[in-house]
Amino acid sequence: MAGLREWATLYLKGVAMGSADAVPGVSGGTIALIVGIYERLIAAVTAVDPSRIRRVLAGVRPANIPDARAAFHEIDGAFLLVLGAGIGTAVVTVLSGVNYLLATRPVATYGFFFGLIAASAAVLLRGVTLDTPRRQAAAVAGFLLAFLASGVASTGLGSSLPLVFVAGAVAVSAMVLPGISGSLLLIVLGQYEYMSGTVSRAVDGLAAFLTGNGSDALVETLPPVLTFLLGGVVGLFTIAHTVRYALARARAATLAFLVSLVVGALRAPLLEVSTRLAESGESWQGAAPRFALAALVGAAFVFVLDRYSATIEY
């Protein structure tokens, strides 16, 4: 039975994963590798199935409590809950901060994201081989999918609840894939800024509700937040399993596809900055220096992180 110190350490590992997942280009899966919990995380996630969930929920009846405890243990439920609490804490905190930076320093913030993404692509490309037509086709497909999706999102896909659900499914499932950032996929889908703002308003709304200052903001933001979370749960136990199956059957081609998604996604922050500059009347010529400086900082962060994870095999 783990003690308080072990649970606190696990919670902090979740905070580290959540902080990584909240910024595009850095993968929570990579952090899980670095802190030594990746294999346990994958084992726990893949152990969750409808049968075990039903057994856990059946524990509301006293007669079913022993079997519910057994099922909870089979999915390493305590591990998932504590780790999830840490991830959730960090995601909410970091996204609230990012929302402020996007509102006040959009060029530098997206420049930082661009550096994170570009450096992540450079690191991941070292492990990709394109020596067969199948792998080359997978790489082209991944690049085009991310590149074209970024362009469609920039034209205004909106943020309807079905799209938020899909975004949650895709983004959260990426948490278990080393090197692939869920937040990056949110940018590709045009939902990153919307969700960071929504989470920030939800936190403010919850604070207002708890202090007796009304519930309007909380009521307004709950539908998209809950829809995103529901999509995330579905994605974690469907898309993540699908990707793991693909990795087992055609690892090289699947990796080529996934890494090419990252390369194609480099278009997304550039489009976002162009939109902001057009709205403010500023030109790329004036914005380029701070964009480039922030990109260098982001790239340096990834390369330092890669140095610490370079000896880890997965």
Side-chain angles (χ1 to χ4, degrees), residues 34-199:
I34 293 172
V35 299
I37 60 172
Y38 182 72
E39 290 186 8
R40 185 177 179 183
L41 172 62
I42 294 301
V45 169
T46 54
V48 177
D49 59 31
S51 173
R52 289 189 172 117
I53 292 175
R54 285 195 297 269
R55 288 167 60 197
V56 170
L57 295 177
V60 296
R61 299 179 60 184
N64 296 328
I65 289 178
D67 185 59
R69 286 176 177 168
F72 188 74
H73 179 72
E74 289 167 11
I75 63 174
D76 208 351
F79 167 82
L80 289 177
L81 286 178
V82 175
L83 186 69
I87 292 172
T89 301
V91 167
V92 169
T93 303
V94 173
L95 284 183
S96 296
V98 167
N99 182 60
Y100 171 78
L101 291 173
L102 286 173
T104 58
R105 299 287 188 274
V107 173
T109 303
Y110 277 116
F112 181 73
F113 291 167
F114 184 88
L116 292 174
I117 298 166
S120 295
V123 168
L124 292 169
L125 282 170
R126 297 201 300 254
V128 174
T129 55
L130 302 177
D131 52 354
T132 68
R134 183 181 187 181
R135 296 171 188 175
Q136 293 165 5
V140 171
F143 175 83
L144 289 177
L145 177 61
F147 187 86
L148 295 175
S150 300
V152 171
S154 71
T155 63
L157 277 177
S159 297
S160 63
L161 290 183
L163 184 57
V164 169
F165 178 89
V166 171
V170 172
V172 175
S173 66
M175 289 176 60
V176 299
L177 304 173
I180 306 299
S181 164
S183 293
L184 167 62
L185 299 179
L186 285 182
I187 283 189
V188 170
L189 293 172
Q191 302 304 306
Y192 182 79
E193 191 168 346
Y194 170 75
M195 286 309 304
S196 64
T198 299
V199 169

Side-chain angles (χ1 to χ4, degrees), residues 104-312:
T104 58
R105 299 287 188 274
V107 173
T109 303
Y110 277 116
F112 181 73
F113 291 167
F114 184 88
L116 292 174
I117 298 166
S120 295
V123 168
L124 292 169
L125 282 170
R126 297 201 300 254
V128 174
T129 55
L130 302 177
D131 52 354
T132 68
R134 183 181 187 181
R135 296 171 188 175
Q136 293 165 5
V140 171
F143 175 83
L144 289 177
L145 177 61
F147 187 86
L148 295 175
S150 300
V152 171
S154 71
T155 63
L157 277 177
S159 297
S160 63
L161 290 183
L163 184 57
V164 169
F165 178 89
V166 171
V170 172
V172 175
S173 66
M175 289 176 60
V176 299
L177 304 173
I180 306 299
S181 164
S183 293
L184 167 62
L185 299 179
L186 285 182
I187 283 189
V188 170
L189 293 172
Q191 302 304 306
Y192 182 79
E193 191 168 346
Y194 170 75
M195 286 309 304
S196 64
T198 299
V199 169
S200 180
R201 292 196 307 275
V203 172
D204 292 341
L206 178 60
F209 175 74
L210 293 176
T211 55
N213 292 319
S215 60
D216 291 350
L218 185 61
V219 171
E220 176 192 352
T221 55
L222 272 181
V225 169
L226 293 178
T227 299
F228 184 88
L229 292 175
L230 178 60
V233 171
V234 172
L236 190 60
F237 301 118
T238 55
I239 297 176
H241 282 265
T242 302
V243 173
R244 281 184 56 77
Y245 175 79
L247 285 169
R249 294 294 299 271
R251 180 178 178 82
T254 303
L255 285 175
F257 176 82
L258 292 174
V259 175
S260 296
L261 282 176
V262 179
V263 178
L266 282 169
R267 183 187 186 192
L270 296 174
L271 290 175
E272 294 288 351
V273 171
S274 295
T275 300
R276 293 301 188 91
L277 293 178
E279 292 172 352
S280 64
E282 188 180 0
S283 68
W284 260 107
Q285 184 176 359
R290 62 182 186 276
F291 181 91
L293 179 61
L296 288 174
V297 173
F301 177 80
V302 171
F303 288 133
V304 170
L305 184 63
D306 178 60
R307 181 178 179 181
Y308 282 97
S309 60
T311 59
I312 301 174

